Amino acid sequence: ARAASAGQVRPGPPKASALMACASDASPIAYYYCEVGVRERLALSRTSRPEERTEGSFLLQARFEPSVLRRLPLEERPGVRFAPEVAMFCFPHGVRLVNASVAAANAIPKVTSFVLTASDKSRMYGACIVWYEPLPDGVVQACVDEVMPECDGVERAAERALAGELHAPEAICLLSSAPIFEALNSCCRQLFRMRLSGGDPASTEYMLTEASLRPLLTTPLPDYGGR
C-alpha cells in the first residue's frame, strides 16, 4: 500500500487468484474500517476475578473484554452487516495490560488475518494490526473503583499507582468480502504508519479521517484478470 499525497491509502491491485469468488460484483476493497481495544473502558472478562488474583498487580493479571471503539462507515452497507464480534477476532484471548517496559519490548506491531462467518453462512475476510498504546489514567482509576470495591485501601492505592505506566493493545481492522489478505495486511500497515504520524494520541487529529479512508471504502475490486 502507498500513501497518497493527501495522506490517503492507495492499496495495490489484489492478486487475481484471490478475487475469483467475487469477480462479478462491485464490492469495495474494504466494506468496513474499525478500531478495537479498551482505551475507553476496562470491562473485566468473566474469567477474571479480583478475589482469585495471585501475588502482584491484579490489573496486570486480569483479562479484559475488547470492544469496537470506532467504525466507518457508521451506517450499514447494503447487504453486508457490520459484525461487532470482530473485536473478539482481533483479540481472541481477551486483552492483557502490560507495563511500559513490556510494551517497549514489543513495539513492532503484529498483523493477523481471519475469516468471520455470520449466522447466514456469509463470510467476511478480515485483517488487523495490533500494537500497544498508553492507557489513559482515568480509565485505570475507573476500573479500580469498579472492580475492586471490596479490596482494602492499600491494595487499591497500589493499583491506582500504575496509572501512567500501563499500556493496552489496540487494533486497526479492515473487513472485506474477498480473501485478499495480502492487500488488506499491507493496507493495515500503511494505516498504522499514518496513525503514528498524527502526533498526540489524545488529539482528535490523531484519528484517521473519513476522507483518508474513503479510497479503501469506495474503490471497487477489479474484475478477475483486471488491473
Side-chain angles (χ1 to χ4, degrees):
R2 296 179 180 176
S5 58
Q8 296 178 338
V9 176
R10 290 178 178 168
K15 290 185 176 181
S17 60
L19 302 178
M20 295 178 67
C22 56
S24 61
D25 60 24
S27 301
I29 292 170
Y31 269 99
Y32 294 101
Y33 161 91
C34 65
E35 298 169 11
V36 177
V38 296
R39 69 169 182 257
E40 295 179 353
R41 179 176 179 269
L42 288 171
L44 198 62
S45 169
R46 290 190 294 269
T47 61
S48 296
R49 301 173 184 235
E51 61 272 18
E52 297 176 357
R53 69 188 184 282
T54 58
E55 184 178 350
S57 168
F58 171 70
L59 292 179
L60 291 173
Q61 297 175 33
R63 294 184 185 272
F64 299 92
E65 300 287 348
S67 64
V68 175
L69 305 170
R70 181 178 180 233
R71 57 167 276 198
L72 288 172
L74 294 176
E75 66 277 2
E76 296 290 306
R77 304 292 287 261
V80 183
R81 181 185 68 87
F82 178 79
E85 57 266 30
V86 68
M88 299 309 298
F89 282 78
C90 294
F91 299 104
H93 304 294
V95 170
R96 294 284 298 269
L97 308 182
V98 300
N99 57 33
S101 61
V102 174
N106 294 273
I108 299 176
K110 297 181 180 179
V111 180
T112 60
S113 55
F114 54 86
V115 180
L116 196 161
T117 303
S119 57
D120 61 0
K121 306 302 181 182
S122 62
R123 290 186 174 184
M124 292 291 285
Y125 302 90
C128 68
I129 186 167
V130 179
W131 71 99
Y132 283 101
E133 288 273 13
L135 197 60
D137 292 358
V139 173
V140 176
Q141 306 283 7
C143 178
V144 172
D145 291 339
E146 179 181 352
V147 306
M148 302 182 69
E150 305 302 324
C151 297
D152 62 48
V154 174
E155 289 179 301
R156 293 169 65 185
E159 298 290 348
R160 288 197 184 97
L162 292 173
E165 172 77 5
L166 293 178
H167 288 60
E170 190 156 323
I172 281 175
C173 181
L174 295 173
L175 293 174
S176 175
S177 64
I180 48 173
F181 294 117
E182 184 177 344
L184 293 174
N185 289 347
S186 295
C187 288
C188 283
R189 291 188 181 95
Q190 180 60 20
L191 291 170
F192 174 73
R193 288 191 287 268
M194 290 167 59
R195 184 181 171 97
L196 282 185
S197 67
D200 181 8
S203 170
T204 55
E205 296 179 359
Y206 183 69
M207 294 192 301
L208 295 169
T209 65
E210 187 169 0
S212 67
L213 293 164
R214 190 171 295 122
L216 277 176
L217 301 174
T218 60
T219 302
L221 290 166
D223 292 336
Y224 174 60
R227 296 185 178 180

